[in-house]
């Protein structure tokens, strides 16, 4: 969570917020030295995918006291309109079946309201709308049709918002880009880790080192995007927010996380795959081919490995 911490702080709810009166003690925030700590203690984060409860411990170690992370049926809550009250969705959805698609759809639709205030996926209470999100998912999700369908929904009113950040004027106007798709909306950003994440799975499931890179998909209201970028720069440096200049000066590696505004920049940085991902049968065949090739060689070495970089 360290990579997105500046963004979480930048989008923290104001001191006086309707949810605070219901859920959080009225802490004294007059002392500016404790402002960040108080913001984190008041920021209600929601992770609907329960595994072993470790999310609460990890976020709690960073000063977030209000974590909604319980063993309940997320999709039933969505359909019944009983999703727990929260400010921000922060989760790493399961990568199997259709969990990623459902999570993206829910997150994007609950980030936005249309002109009539209509509800999105699964209905729900108005208090659950306009929720920011931070989703840790495989990089290839950015190229998938389901992501484009969700991300490009309800974007007709975004074009009148102007981003004052001069370094980001490279972003294309909202029209068809070179691959025939409309440019992604202004309220979805991406955080690219400086090192590849490894995963701590329950015993007997998953792989510690995944066969793909992970990135954070971040949903932030347009009028708060500039504050988020400024906060990211303050912590990670000027070049951490990708713009025309940083793209030109970037090398093959980065020592800090990078905040990226659009899909074309992800492609330019080599962060997302440019080829279509093979289906499960093709990937299995390729793994067998590689295993057979390794078996035919004599391997020399001590078998040492690097340290883990836990997300």
């Amino acid at each position: 969570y360290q990579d997105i911490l500046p963004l979480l702080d930048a989008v923290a709810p104001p001191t006086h917020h309707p949810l605070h009166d219901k859920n959080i003690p009225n802490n004294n925030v007059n002392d500016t030295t404790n402002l960040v700590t108080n913001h984190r203690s008041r920021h209600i984060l929601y992770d609907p995918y329960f595994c072993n409860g470790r999310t609460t411990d990890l976020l709690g170690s960073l000063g977030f006291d209000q974590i909604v992370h319980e063993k309940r049926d997320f999709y039933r809550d969505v359909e019944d309109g009983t999703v727990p009250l929260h400010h921000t969705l922060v989760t790493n959805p399961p990568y199997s079946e259709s969990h990623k698609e459902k999570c993206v759809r829910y997150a994007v639709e609950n980030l936005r309201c249309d002109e009539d205030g209509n509800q999105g996926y699964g209905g729900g209470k108005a208090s659950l709308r306009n929720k920011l999100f931070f989703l840790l998912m495989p990089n290839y999700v950015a190229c998938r049709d389901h992501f484009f369908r969700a991300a490009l929904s309800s974007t007709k009113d975004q074009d009148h918002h102007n981003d004052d950040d001069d370094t980001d004027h490279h972003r294309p106007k909202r029209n068809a880009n070179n691959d025939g798709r409309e440019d992604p909306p202004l309220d979805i950003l991406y955080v690219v880790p400086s090192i590849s994440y490894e995963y701590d799975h329950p015993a007997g499931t998953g792989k510690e080192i995944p066969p793909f890179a992970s990135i954070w998909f971040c949903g932030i209201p347009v009028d708060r995007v500039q504050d988020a970028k400024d906060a990211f720069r303050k912590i990670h440096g000027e070049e951490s927010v990708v713009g025309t200049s940083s793209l030109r000066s970037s090398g093959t590696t980065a020592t800090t996380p990078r905040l990226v505004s659009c899909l074309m920049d992800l492609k330019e940085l080599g962060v997302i795959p440019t080829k279509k991902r093979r289906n499960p049968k093709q990937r299995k065949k390729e793994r067998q081919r590689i295993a057979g090739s390794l078996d035919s060689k004599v391997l020399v070495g001590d078998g040492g490995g690097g340290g883990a970089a836990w997300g």
Side-chain angles (χ1 to χ4, degrees):
Y1 300 107
Q2 291 282 358
D3 289 342
I4 60 170
L5 199 54
L7 302 181
L8 287 173
D9 288 339
V11 302
T15 302
H16 302 290
H17 191 281
L19 295 188
H20 293 158
D21 298 334
K22 294 181 179 180
N23 298 280
I24 304 174
N26 185 22
N27 297 328
N28 180 12
V29 294
N30 292 326
D31 185 355
T32 56
T33 62
N34 294 323
L35 189 58
V36 170
T37 301
N38 279 279
H39 278 179
R40 291 182 187 176
S41 68
R42 291 172 173 269
H43 196 166
I44 306 175
L45 306 181
Y46 175 45
D47 183 351
Y49 296 101
F50 188 90
C51 180
N52 56 14
R54 192 178 177 209
T55 293
T56 301
D57 295 334
L58 293 174
L59 288 170
S61 69
L62 298 174
F64 294 98
D65 298 330
Q66 303 295 323
I67 313 298
V68 181
H69 184 52
E70 304 168 344
K71 192 173 184 179
R72 29 191 305 159
D73 188 333
F74 171 45
Y75 304 119
R76 174 59 62 87
D77 282 342
V78 170
E79 292 299 328
D80 293 347
T82 56
V83 171
L85 292 175
H86 63 281
H87 297 122
T88 305
L89 174 68
V90 182
T91 191
N92 172 213
Y95 297 164
S96 59
E97 301 177 356
S98 60
H99 293 293
K100 299 188 299 298
E101 292 85 342
K102 291 179 178 178
C103 185
V104 166
R105 181 184 172 195
Y106 169 82
V108 173
E109 292 193 5
N110 284 276
L111 174 68
R112 302 168 182 159
C113 277
D114 63 20
E115 293 177 348
D116 300 320
N118 292 328
Q119 303 304 297
Y121 175 32
K125 301 176 182 178
S127 61
L128 297 182
R129 303 294 290 171
N130 300 121
K131 299 304 179 188
L132 297 85
F133 66 79
F134 295 85
L135 311 179
L136 180 62
M137 298 188 293
N139 57 355
Y140 61 77
V141 171
C143 305
R144 291 299 174 87
D145 288 338
H146 73 80
F147 174 72
F148 278 90
R149 285 194 298 270
L152 294 175
S153 65
S154 303
T155 60
K156 61 181 180 299
D157 297 323
Q158 291 188 23
D159 290 328
H160 72 277
H161 291 280
N162 292 320
D163 194 336
D164 294 331
D165 183 3
D166 291 338
T167 63
D168 290 329
H169 286 172
H170 69 285
R171 185 193 295 133
K173 300 296 182 182
R174 195 168 306 288
N175 52 27
N177 59 31
N178 292 335
D179 63 3
R181 298 185 187 272
E182 190 176 352
D183 191 55
L186 307 180
D187 57 356
I188 297 181
L189 307 177
Y190 312 87
V191 171
V192 181
S194 59
I195 56 176
S196 296
Y197 291 161
E198 296 179 5
Y199 288 83
D200 187 9
H201 297 279
T205 65
K207 300 178 180 179
E208 288 188 1
I209 302 178
F212 49 76
S214 299
I215 60 178
W216 286 97
F217 294 71
C218 311
I220 301 174
V222 175
D223 59 357
R224 304 180 72 179
V225 165
Q226 189 56 50
D227 290 340
K229 290 181 178 181
D230 290 343
F232 203 83
R233 284 194 187 94
K234 184 176 181 180
I235 299 300
H236 295 303
E238 186 67 28
E239 295 298 317
S240 65
V241 177
V242 173
T244 303
S245 59
S246 58
L247 275 173
R248 290 172 179 169
S249 62
S250 63
T252 56
T253 60
T255 58
T256 63
R258 288 166 290 176
L259 182 62
V260 182
S261 299
C262 65
L263 180 63
M264 288 195 295
D265 286 351
L266 288 176
K267 289 183 177 180
E268 185 74 16
L269 290 169
V271 172
I272 58 177
T274 56
K275 295 182 179 180
K276 184 176 181 180
R277 191 170 186 241
R278 297 176 178 178
N279 62 43
K281 186 175 181 179
Q282 292 171 327
R283 297 199 299 270
K284 180 178 180 181
K285 187 175 181 180
E286 178 64 13
R287 288 195 298 269
Q288 292 173 340
R289 184 191 67 80
I290 293 174
S293 176
L294 291 175
D295 289 342
S296 65
K297 297 178 180 180
V298 177
L299 301 180
V300 179
D302 59 9
W310 304 107

